[in-house]
């Protein structure tokens, strides 16, 4: 294991790879990712969840392989997700909150955010998931062994995931079981995998490069709803 922050280590093979988009935050931070608690309050989260529940206008997630979009209906072994658009009123609330935290994100990762994608509202219902992937690169394999990464979205520097439902062992209307956010190549000092069990209103911010390869574990029950964006940035 190779230490990349006070509390977090990565798999040694990552250091040996020539990762073109490699960027890491300050190694003296406790964690290489940032969790912003209460980005939205409880009522704001519930309002978004209500809008999504009432909205039947969604699309199945698509996968991009090089320059080709592949419909997720034929690739649900890789990703099973419903995608919604955020309504105008809640988008305004989200955007204003993001602007409030923009400087904190920039300072934490020592970069300047320049542009962002549209907000995607992702709904994971029972048995939904998203297998291991990097947000800016494709994973290259030879004889079933990972041998490197190919950048396919170099402009992506930062990924943000805001949760509007909570992980809970006992599910309710605004919670889910399973569906943890797993960073596949990160662990603590004891070798335990980094598996986040989010709370509604919290935002997880991490760099989009292969060090932060991640997956959404299968939802056992409930509705896992998150607002996702990818951000371009200039590295300071």
């Amino acid at each position: 294991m190779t230490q990349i922050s006070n509390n977090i280590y990565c798999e040694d093979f990552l250091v040996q790879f020539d990762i073109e988009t490699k960027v890491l935050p300050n190694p003296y931070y406790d964690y290489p990712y940032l969790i912003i608690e209460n980005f939205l309050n409880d009522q704001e989260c519930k309002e978004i969840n209500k809008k999504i529940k009432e909205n039947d206008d969604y699309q199945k997630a698509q996968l991009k392989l090089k320059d080709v979009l592949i419909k997720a209906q034929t690739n649900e072994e890789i990703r099973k997700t419903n995608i919604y658009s955020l309504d105008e009123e809640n988008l305004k609330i989200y955007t204003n909150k993001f602007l409030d935290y923009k400087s904190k994100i920039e300072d934490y990762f020592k970069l300047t955010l320049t542009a962002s994608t549209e907000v995607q509202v992702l709904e994971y219902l029972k048995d939904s998931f998203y297998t291991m992937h990097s947000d800016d690169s494709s994973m290259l394999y030879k004889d079933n062994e990972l041998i490197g990464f190919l950048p396919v979205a170099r402009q992506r520097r930062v990924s943000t995931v805001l949760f509007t439902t909570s992980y809970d062992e006992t599910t309710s209307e605004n919670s889910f079981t399973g569906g943890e956010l797993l960073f596949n190549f990160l662990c603590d000092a004891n070798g335990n995998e980094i598996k986040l069990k989010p709370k509604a209103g919290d935002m997880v911010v991490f760099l989009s490069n292969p060090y932060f390869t991640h997956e959404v574990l299968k939802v056992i029950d409930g509705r896992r709803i998150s607002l996702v964006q990818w951000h371009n940035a200039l590295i300071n």
Side-chain angles (χ1 to χ4, degrees):
M1 299 187 299
T2 299
Q3 190 168 10
I4 60 172
S5 73
N6 285 338
N7 297 328
I8 302 297
Y9 296 73
C10 75
E11 298 284 355
D12 288 332
F13 69 81
L14 285 173
V15 181
Q16 298 169 7
F17 286 165
D18 180 18
I19 298 177
E20 296 182 41
T21 57
K22 174 185 175 181
V23 180
L24 291 173
N26 190 324
Y28 296 105
Y29 289 163
D30 284 344
Y31 299 96
Y33 47 80
L34 173 65
I35 297 179
I36 302 174
E37 297 182 347
N38 300 313
F39 181 97
L40 293 183
N41 63 41
D42 187 59
Q43 187 55 45
E44 290 166 335
C45 289
K46 288 180 178 178
E47 182 61 28
I48 290 174
N49 299 339
K50 181 173 177 288
K51 290 281 188 180
I52 297 305
K53 191 170 184 179
E54 295 172 349
N55 186 359
D56 59 2
D57 182 17
Y58 67 89
Q59 59 180 316
K60 292 288 186 180
Q62 294 180 318
L63 301 172
K64 188 169 185 180
L65 182 61
K66 293 186 178 179
D67 295 322
V68 180
L69 279 175
I70 304 173
K71 291 185 179 180
Q73 288 93 326
T74 60
N75 288 273
E76 289 194 343
E77 291 182 0
I78 299 173
R79 184 179 188 185
K80 189 176 182 182
T81 320
N82 297 329
I83 300 181
Y84 295 81
S85 295
L86 196 60
D87 65 277
E88 185 174 344
E89 181 179 351
N90 283 307
L91 178 60
K92 183 177 180 180
I93 293 172
Y94 172 92
T95 302
N96 288 337
K97 292 288 181 71
F98 189 85
L99 289 174
D100 289 341
Y101 286 104
K102 182 171 179 282
S103 60
K104 180 175 183 176
I105 295 170
E106 291 176 327
D107 181 65
Y108 195 88
F109 295 103
K110 297 297 182 282
L111 45 73
T112 301
L113 299 175
T114 57
S116 304
T117 62
E118 292 184 6
V119 179
Q120 289 188 357
V121 183
L122 304 185
E123 179 188 49
Y124 292 80
L125 300 176
K126 182 178 179 180
D127 294 331
S128 296
F129 59 90
Y130 194 171
T131 57
M132 179 172 61
H133 63 282
S134 166
D135 282 346
D136 76 352
S137 301
S138 290
M139 304 174 74
L140 302 177
Y141 290 89
K142 182 177 181 180
D143 299 327
N144 294 319
E145 180 181 350
L146 181 64
I147 60 171
F149 295 87
L150 176 67
V152 294
R154 292 176 181 273
Q155 74 280 6
R156 291 183 181 178
R157 290 293 191 175
V158 175
S159 303
T160 56
V161 183
L162 170 66
F163 294 90
T164 61
T165 56
S166 297
Y167 176 92
D168 198 327
E169 295 294 344
T170 304
T171 56
S172 63
E173 184 178 6
N174 293 298
S175 66
F176 59 92
T177 303
E180 299 96 328
L181 178 62
L182 172 67
F183 288 104
N184 301 89
F185 304 140
L186 302 184
C187 61
D188 64 20
N190 297 316
N192 298 311
E193 60 190 8
I194 303 303
K195 187 166 35 175
L196 303 184
K197 300 177 179 179
K199 176 185 173 185
D202 290 353
M203 174 179 277
V204 180
V205 188
F206 54 93
L207 296 166
S208 304
N209 68 69
Y211 276 76
F212 299 88
T213 296
H214 56 283
E215 68 178 290
V216 177
L217 300 181
K218 182 180 289 187
V219 173
I220 297 171
D221 196 14
R223 298 170 71 225
R224 181 192 193 272
I225 298 178
S226 58
L227 278 58
V228 175
Q229 271 190 305
W230 297 277
H231 310 270
N232 300 5
L234 299 175
I235 307 300
N236 295 338

